[in-house]
Amino acid sequence: MDATTSGTPAIQYHNIPDQPITAIIVAPVPTFQRNQRHCFGESTPGEFPLAASPSIVLHVLTACNLDPQDLAKLEASATCSFFRQPANFAPDYQLSISELAALDMCQKRAIFKPMTEAERQDLKQKCGGSWKLVLRFLLAGEACCRRENSQAIAGPGHSIAVTSKGVVYSFGSNSSGQLGHGTTEEEWRPRPIRSLQGIRIIQAAAGAGRTMLISDAGQVYAFGKDSFGEAEYGVQGTKLVTSPQLVESLKNIFVVQAAIGNFFTAVLSREGRVYTFSWGNDARLGHHTEPNDVEPHPLLGTLENIPVVQIAAGYCYLLALACQPSGMAVYSVGCGLGGKLGHGSRTDEKHPRLIEQFQLLNLQPVVVAAGAWHAAVVGQDGRVCTWGWGRYGCLGHGNEECESVPKVVQALNDVKAVHVATGDYTTFVVSEDGDVYSFGCGESASLGHNAIADGQGNRHANVLTPQLVTSLKQVNERVVQISLTNSIYWNAHTFALTESGKLYAFGAGDKGQLGIELVNNQTERGNPERVDIDLS
């Protein structure tokens, strides 16, 4: 087709005369004088050359999201005092560049933004008097609890899934209204909780017959059994709550995490304070209460002035990951049967007590998990420690013996772990590469090893040392979170969440808790199967 007939204007061509190469004038290459790097003002040689423009340095430090430890190293540098001197910037003219960078990064965190100046200063003092330590506290909580990120919770018989946008889905057993849909009917497919529309949920906890959800505003919604402290089996409470209800007694506490144990419930405030409900009639948690008590009580003792970043609840005991100026530490309180408190004995503790073994192991804990009868920790260096009742090999040490103090899982020495999850005599570990290892009780096929568990087609075999979950390797995606049922009465099921927000489920599914339809009278699923829900 001719350009003129198509309506497209004709292209005008211009003749460019050829030029001899000699006619093209080449500009001379300028010679640069090599200047000696120098300092400004009255600075002495060796000072940072950008000292005259500290705002540029501050912007770079903040934009790069440096680790608090890196900021501390800059400030401690023996050759450059620039990072230690007052930067003369608002809001505090006496703060150094490193401290200002840490404060700027704190102000990006969701739970820090709404805090008043008085609350911020109080948190600063509680963390050790430094904004770098406050930043470490905030980052540690985000890393171990998946705040602001998607997550899946494999509860006892029912399941909760939270998308990255804060939308909540629930499915499975619903005899107590724990799914929050206003009914007591089971759900075999993920169903959004409609009554929460407009409320962004950032954390969830599931116990036997009850569920707790936490919004980005720090409010707590609960449904299912109306008691915070009853036993998980056989007791229904005075009434059932079938749709999310605001917990009135927590309205004045900005909550960031909840943990449901047997006979008690615990919540964690944004300032790092732990509060517990119930199970205190014999001062087991440092206070006297009744099982049906709905008032939160601050956990007394050594943690009153030490900020906590994560809590984990097992069968009648609580673990707390605390952020001390000297480093991260783990405290335990409650029932000591099986050595699960980690103090070298099986005695109970009425007040939180520091687990000293991590100092001897030179291990900085970053993630803590409390199973029904055993516990686990991931260190900053990727090592995994387990302790407590070793039944079915759930400690991963190649035997079924109890360990009353944390012990490094030697079989994982070549694996750098980043996440750990525990259930009823079952443990899962996620590596930095997204590989998943499991060990312990193989009941309900919840370990994910399917027919290769013992080489004879028994997918229910117990596993005494960590084994790679090859069935998850086949999904060809990096796993970022594992959740498994933490109950001594319910058959276990397991969730694996991938980096892209895909959710895979396996294990017991007799109540619809897998979110997958089972056929031909099946009650469980041995291989991970994709749940029809996108959590990204």
Side-chain angles (χ1 to χ4, degrees):
M1 180 182 291
D2 190 271
T4 56
T5 60
S6 65
T8 304
I11 300 175
Q12 300 295 322
Y13 295 92
H14 300 275
N15 291 324
I16 302 176
D18 293 332
Q19 297 183 33
I21 296 178
T22 56
I24 301 176
I25 301 175
V26 179
V29 178
T31 58
F32 294 94
Q33 182 179 359
R34 187 180 296 275
N35 294 323
Q36 183 177 1
R37 181 178 290 183
H38 62 279
C39 303
F40 298 87
E42 298 178 355
S43 302
T44 56
E47 291 292 308
F48 197 83
L50 289 179
S53 302
S55 59
I56 297 177
V57 181
L58 178 60
H59 175 74
V60 171
L61 294 181
T62 304
C64 291
N65 291 320
L66 288 184
D67 185 271
Q69 289 181 322
D70 295 328
L71 294 175
K73 290 177 182 177
L74 287 175
E75 204 169 64
S77 172
T79 60
C80 183
S81 63
F82 169 72
F83 291 100
R84 295 192 297 272
Q85 297 172 349
N88 295 317
F89 280 130
D92 187 339
Y93 294 99
Q94 295 302 311
L95 292 181
S96 67
I97 284 288
S98 297
E99 275 287 277
L100 277 171
L103 176 57
D104 284 352
M105 284 187 273
C106 286
Q107 290 171 339
K108 296 178 182 179
R109 318 330 294 184
I111 68 172
F112 189 84
K113 289 179 182 178
M115 296 178 74
T116 66
E117 182 60 28
E119 290 171 336
R120 292 179 177 184
Q121 290 296 330
D122 183 63
L123 178 61
K124 179 183 177 183
Q125 294 306 313
K126 198 173 182 181
C127 287
S130 165
W131 291 119
K132 294 185 291 294
L133 294 177
V134 174
L135 179 61
R136 185 187 67 170
F137 165 75
L138 297 174
L139 294 177
E142 292 176 6
C144 62
C145 299
R146 292 192 60 80
R147 293 175 194 155
E148 309 292 319
N149 293 314
S150 57
Q151 57 188 275
I153 308 297
H158 75 290
S159 303
I160 304 294
V162 183
T163 73
S164 58
K165 295 182 179 180
V167 178
V168 182
Y169 292 79
S170 61
F171 44 101
S173 175
N174 196 28
S175 58
S176 300
Q178 62 264 40
L179 298 186
H181 301 306
T183 71
T184 55
E185 297 177 1
E186 291 180 358
E187 294 287 343
W188 284 71
R189 293 288 183 181
R191 178 182 171 186
I193 301 179
R194 303 293 182 187
S195 61
L196 291 172
Q197 190 169 1
I199 300 173
R200 183 168 183 249
I201 300 300
I202 62 168
Q203 274 283 308
R210 59 187 183 273
T211 304
M212 297 178 73
L213 304 175
I214 301 168
S215 75
D216 59 354
Q219 296 183 314
V220 181
Y221 298 84
F223 41 100
K225 294 180 182 179
D226 70 335
S227 170
F228 287 106
E230 64 195 26
E232 70 169 290
Y233 183 77
V235 183
Q236 285 294 328
T238 57
K239 65 177 182 178
L240 303 181
V241 180
T242 59
S243 60
Q245 300 292 321
L246 189 65
V247 180
E248 295 290 334
S249 60
L250 290 171
K251 287 179 66 174
N252 295 323
I253 301 174
F254 195 111
V255 176
V256 294
Q257 191 199 347
I260 301 175
N262 207 46
F263 300 109
F264 77 100
T265 299
V267 297
L268 177 66
S269 76
R270 103 184 130 182
E271 296 81 17
R273 193 73 192 270
V274 181
Y275 297 82
T276 59
F277 295 86
S278 304
W279 206 55
N281 54 338
D282 291 325
R284 291 187 180 94
L285 295 178
H287 53 70
H288 294 268
T289 61
E290 296 299 324
N292 58 354
D293 189 7
V294 295
E295 292 296 325
H297 295 264
L299 192 61
L300 303 178
T302 54
L303 289 178
E304 290 183 66
N305 296 308
I306 301 175
V308 172
V309 300
Q310 183 201 358
I311 53 176
Y315 194 88
C316 307
Y317 75 107
L318 180 72
L319 299 180
L321 178 62
C323 194
Q324 301 180 145
S326 59
M328 306 300 290
V330 180
Y331 290 76
S332 62
V333 61
C335 172
L337 285 177
K340 59 183 183 243
L341 295 185
H343 303 303
S345 68
R346 301 186 182 188
T347 58
D348 298 348
E349 296 290 340
K350 294 183 178 181
H351 297 281
R353 179 181 170 186
L354 174 67
I355 299 179
E356 299 176 353
Q357 183 68 11
F358 295 117
Q359 296 174 339
L360 299 176
L361 294 172
N362 193 27
L363 184 143
Q364 282 274 331
V366 293
V367 180
V368 62
W373 297 101
H374 74 293
V377 151
V378 172
Q380 191 175 36
D381 58 5
R383 285 184 291 169
V384 177
C385 288
T386 58
W387 68 96
W389 220 308
R391 195 175 180 187
Y392 305 122
C394 63
L395 301 184
H397 302 308
N399 54 50
E400 298 188 47
E401 297 178 4
C402 295
E403 297 290 345
S404 58
V405 295
K407 181 179 179 180
V408 175
V409 181
Q410 298 294 338
L412 292 172
N413 277 352
D414 295 330
V415 175
K416 185 174 182 180
V418 294
H419 173 69
V420 65
T422 50
D424 182 27
Y425 299 120
T426 308
T427 307
F428 277 77
V429 173
V430 181
S431 76
E432 188 177 42
D433 299 326
D435 290 335
V436 179
Y437 299 81
S438 67
F439 43 99
C441 181
E443 187 178 347
S444 304
S446 61
L447 290 179
H449 298 304
N450 201 8
I452 62 171
D454 65 353
Q456 299 177 355
N458 181 10
R459 65 187 184 188
H460 294 150
N462 301 325
V463 179
L464 302 184
T465 56
Q467 286 190 13
L468 180 67
V469 183
T470 55
S471 56
L472 282 174
K473 191 81 171 174
Q474 296 169 4
V475 305
N476 295 321
E477 278 206 62
R478 182 171 173 266
V479 174
V480 295
Q481 185 215 357
I482 290 286
S483 177
L484 63 153
T485 307
N486 190 12
S487 168
I488 65 174
Y489 295 109
W490 287 83
N491 290 331
H493 68 291
T494 306
F495 286 132
L497 178 63
T498 69
E499 197 168 30
S500 66
K502 295 184 180 68
L503 184 64
Y504 293 86
F506 50 97
D510 54 313
K511 296 293 183 180
Q513 63 265 49
L514 295 179
I516 300 166
E517 291 284 354
L518 300 180
V519 297
N520 300 326
N521 296 320
Q522 287 180 319
T523 60
E524 61 187 41
R525 186 59 56 92
N527 282 322
E529 185 167 330
R530 173 85 185 274
V531 182
D532 187 18
I533 182 175
D534 183 6
L535 299 184
S536 63

